[in-house]
Amino acid sequence: MDSPVRNAVVLTGDVHRHWANDIKVDFTDPDAPVVGSELVCTSITSNGNGTGATQVDHMPANPHLKFHNDRRGYVRTTITPDAVHADFRVLDTVTEPDAPVSTAASFTILPGQPGLQA
């Protein structure tokens, strides 16, 4: 694939779940190269607290899916010339004031190394 982009990062959101995924040239080929990363943010309060689920039925058949979480929250990103760092921040509950927030997963995306590094 000829492109001046060294490591694409897609930021998207509000599908009511967190996701972190590798983007591949061909998802039907397990050996296809990874060309980028996708960070999907949940909504902060829509659909209530969420279930806390971290797996979905189709994850084992899709190794490019690196993370899933059904809690509400946000993705905190730090972008520098050396890396993109993403922390998936979640709340156990959004229906109670002052609920604690925690980091469910963290990933780093390095220049010239497409894909998520845990």
Side-chain angles (χ1 to χ4, degrees):
M1 183 172 185
D2 295 328
S3 173
V5 176
R6 295 180 304 154
N7 197 356
V9 177
V10 176
L11 305 172
T12 188
D14 203 1
V15 294
H16 305 292
R17 285 162 181 71
H18 284 300
W19 291 92
N21 309 303
D22 284 340
I23 300 170
K24 298 176 74 77
V25 171
D26 179 355
F27 290 100
T28 64
D29 177 1
D31 297 323
V34 174
V35 295
S37 304
E38 179 183 33
L39 306 172
V40 181
C41 181
T42 183
S43 56
I44 191 68
T45 59
S46 297
N47 287 353
N49 294 323
T51 65
T54 58
Q55 296 289 314
V56 291
D57 292 342
H58 62 279
M59 283 183 79
N62 294 282
H64 61 282
L65 305 177
K66 302 299 182 185
F67 174 71
H68 168 266
N69 190 288
D70 185 37
R71 289 278 184 228
R72 301 300 152 251
Y74 58 95
V75 179
R76 178 178 58 197
T77 56
T78 305
I79 301 171
T80 69
D82 298 320
V84 173
H85 184 80
D87 294 318
F88 286 84
R89 306 284 287 162
V90 298
L91 297 115
D92 288 340
T93 177
V94 295
T95 55
E96 297 175 26
D98 301 317
V101 63
S102 62
T103 300
S106 295
F107 295 94
T108 301
I109 303 163
L110 301 170
Q113 296 181 32
L116 298 161
Q117 312 297 315

